Amino acid sequence: QVENRPKYYGREYHGMISREEADQLLSVAEGGYLIRESQRQPGTYTLALRFGNQTRNFRLYYDGKHFVGEKRFESIHDLVTDGLITLYIETKAAEYIAKMTINPIYEHIGYTTLNREPALKKHVPVLKEAPDGKEALAEDADLEERVHTFRGPHWCEYCANFMWGLIAQGVKCADCGLNVHKQCSKVVPNDCKPDLKHVKKVYSCDLTTLVKAHNTKRPMVVDMCIREIESRGLKSEGLYRVSGFSDLIEDVKLAFDRDGEKADISVNVYEDINIITGALKLYFRDLPIPVITYDAYPRFIEAAKLTDPDEQLEALHEALKLLPPAHCETLRYLMGHLKRVTLNEKDSLMNAENLGIVFGPTLMRAPDLDAMASLNDIRYQRQVVESLINNEDILF
């Protein structure tokens, strides 16, 4: 019995022994393993595993489950079993592994996910994976058939090969749930089809991901906020320039993240229209990729620097072509709204120049983090938005 053995290790724990001692103990049996505490860094542990007539050492961690990479295991035995499979495959099939991305079956994705639709297109109860990892039955009282929907998490959905790995694990797309090897993720086509069950929030979510997941032309936040503003706020003095109470703006953000299109932003809940304008501006600021994307940013700035009005319009028109469809549609809808805001300038005191000052840094951010360059670009950002508003009917 080894002293000071952590409660989550069993007989495989051998205490604070050296790498050489571990190698000697394991030399008698291929596939043998033990856990030792580091002599140089007490409190850290190493899994020593015998394979191919040599002892391999892996830093071992525990957070409720055991792991040496990203993949977690309930027991050390399961981890070692997966590790031995990994080492065997990588040793015996290295040439095959190197070639497996050459002939992908990605276009036949139904095969690899084992999620093909049943032959008979009718509503039947299915077994779905519940949040706790167990299967839960979705009931349908009208039919007695029970069709299982199986999932294959151990198979790559790009190359259809086994998802092995002790260190190099597979990866899963956070938006659509696609499971692939790490090396396959580099060559998977950029055609992600987000699934609502994987898209957990509205704010800070990629714009294209959000509209694809909800099957809409524009983000619901943009549509709902603009509708609310136009119904009761177009004549509000300082619209978009005056700030709303930050705590209430945060409440609106949480409401959208929690309730989506069912969020209540009516006058009954938020009387001050500046809270709604603040929530809309916050949505644009929180986007991981701005409405005017990093790739298109230089072209818009170059257009703003042109002095000839016709040349500037042509340059802006070409720059808009660089935007992804969802970004371009969102920008078109917003510019139409801001144009209507300017038509009420007499009451709101907000013209295209003022709105450009507000929305320039909100809709576009410099790709690099050079503070001086970003500062120099501010006036051009304003000019871009101002020109887009004034020429909204021509450019879109």
Side-chain angles (χ1 to χ4, degrees), residues 101-146:
T101 59
I102 296 174
N103 296 308
I105 48 72
Y106 182 74
E107 61 272 21
H108 309 300
I109 200 72
Y111 162 69
T112 47
T113 58
L114 305 181
N115 260 334
R116 283 179 287 185
E117 291 289 325
L120 295 175
K121 300 284 185 178
K122 52 186 176 182
H123 297 290
V124 291
V126 295
L127 283 176
K128 299 248 183 217
E129 189 179 36
D132 60 2
K134 298 178 181 178
E135 290 181 324
L137 183 65
E139 296 185 0
D140 188 326
D142 297 331
L143 296 170
E144 294 183 358
E145 295 180 56
R146 299 183 182 275

Side-chain angles (χ1 to χ4, degrees), residues 162-381:
F162 182 66
M163 190 87 77
W164 69 90
L166 186 62
I167 299 296
Q169 299 295 329
V171 291
K172 180 176 183 176
C173 176
D175 297 327
C176 68
L178 183 73
N179 292 285
V180 296
H181 292 110
K182 275 190 174 178
Q183 63 265 44
C184 289
S185 69
K186 299 172 185 176
V187 292
V188 170
N190 295 323
D191 59 354
C192 175
K193 296 179 177 60
D195 189 323
L196 268 177
K197 68 183 178 183
H198 297 293
V199 178
K200 303 297 183 185
K201 56 186 178 179
V202 174
Y203 278 68
S204 301
C205 178
D206 176 74
L207 195 155
T208 299
T209 296
L210 187 68
V211 299
K212 282 189 174 183
H214 289 269
N215 193 28
T216 57
K217 296 170 74 173
R218 296 173 299 273
M220 69 189 75
V221 181
V222 177
D223 280 8
M224 291 174 64
C225 286
I226 286 178
R227 278 201 303 268
E228 192 66 27
I229 293 162
E230 295 199 351
S231 71
R232 59 184 174 100
L234 286 179
K235 297 183 184 297
S236 177
E237 184 176 330
L239 189 68
Y240 286 113
R241 180 177 54 79
V242 176
S243 299
F245 188 46
S246 59
D247 285 356
L248 292 178
I249 291 173
E250 192 66 24
D251 283 348
V252 175
K253 171 185 174 178
L254 293 174
F256 275 116
D257 281 339
R258 182 185 62 247
D259 304 324
E261 60 188 15
K262 294 181 180 178
D264 187 356
I265 58 172
S266 67
V267 66
N268 297 327
V269 183
Y270 302 104
E271 184 177 354
D272 183 2
I273 197 63
N274 297 309
I275 294 168
I276 308 304
T277 59
L280 180 60
K281 290 186 292 183
L282 179 61
Y283 170 75
F284 288 129
R285 287 198 302 270
D286 278 359
L287 286 173
I289 299 175
V291 175
I292 293 178
T293 61
Y294 295 121
D295 289 341
Y297 181 91
R299 296 286 291 274
F300 279 91
I301 296 297
E302 289 169 13
K305 292 178 179 179
L306 296 173
T307 55
D308 183 272
D310 292 335
E311 289 182 5
Q312 186 182 81
L313 274 181
E314 182 60 30
L316 284 173
H317 188 263
E318 291 303 312
L320 286 168
K321 293 178 181 178
L322 299 177
L323 297 179
H327 286 245
C328 192
E329 169 59 23
T330 300
L331 188 62
R332 181 199 68 78
Y333 189 72
L334 177 64
M335 292 304 109
H337 163 64
L338 296 182
K339 185 66 171 285
R340 291 187 286 278
V341 172
T342 65
L343 297 179
N344 292 273
E345 180 187 351
K346 183 178 178 180
D347 297 300
S348 69
L349 306 181
M350 295 300 288
N351 57 25
E353 183 180 358
N354 294 336
L355 290 168
I357 293 171
V358 173
F359 278 95
T362 302
L363 299 177
M364 54 196 304
R365 301 192 291 272
D368 52 52
L369 299 176
D370 186 335
M372 188 56 69
S374 298
L375 197 61
N376 291 334
D377 283 352
I378 287 179
R379 66 187 179 110
Y380 297 117
Q381 293 172 353

